[in-house]
Amino acid sequence: MKKVVFLNKLDEIMEIPSGSIKGDEKLSDLRWDSMTVVQFIALVDEEFNLSISASDLLKAKTIPDLVALLGDKITD
């Protein structure tokens, strides 16, 4: 998946205007809460058929951290 598409999907699950996330934000500056985490996990499962461990997800502090969790599934 292209990175821009992934960022738009994050906009959707965080219920913020499309194009708001540019890719370098801190999660603490966004609507990153328990509901968003659940939606992110569902997105990753449905779109990428991946499971992310809770410990890895808890370490994520930025959008680049989330992108890194998906590895080569995200392309520029």
Side-chain angles (χ1 to χ4, degrees):
M1 175 182 290
K2 291 204 174 277
K3 185 176 178 180
V4 67
V5 174
F6 175 69
L7 296 178
N8 284 333
K9 289 186 179 285
L10 290 178
D11 287 331
E12 287 177 28
I13 65 173
M14 292 187 196
E15 298 179 351
I16 56 179
S18 182
S20 293
I21 297 175
K22 302 299 182 203
D24 59 352
E25 295 83 359
K26 293 180 184 177
L27 297 177
S28 61
D29 293 338
L30 300 168
R31 292 183 181 175
W32 187 252
D33 57 20
S34 59
M35 284 300 294
T36 307
V37 169
V38 169
Q39 290 175 313
F40 177 78
I41 291 169
L43 170 73
V44 170
D45 181 48
E46 292 169 11
E47 295 287 334
F48 303 103
N49 199 27
L50 291 175
S51 286
I52 295 177
S53 73
S55 63
D56 286 343
L57 192 51
L58 286 172
K59 293 176 192 173
K61 303 296 181 205
T62 65
I63 296 295
D65 292 342
L66 295 181
V67 171
L69 289 174
L70 301 176
D72 63 355
K73 302 286 186 179
I74 300 291
T75 61
D76 288 334

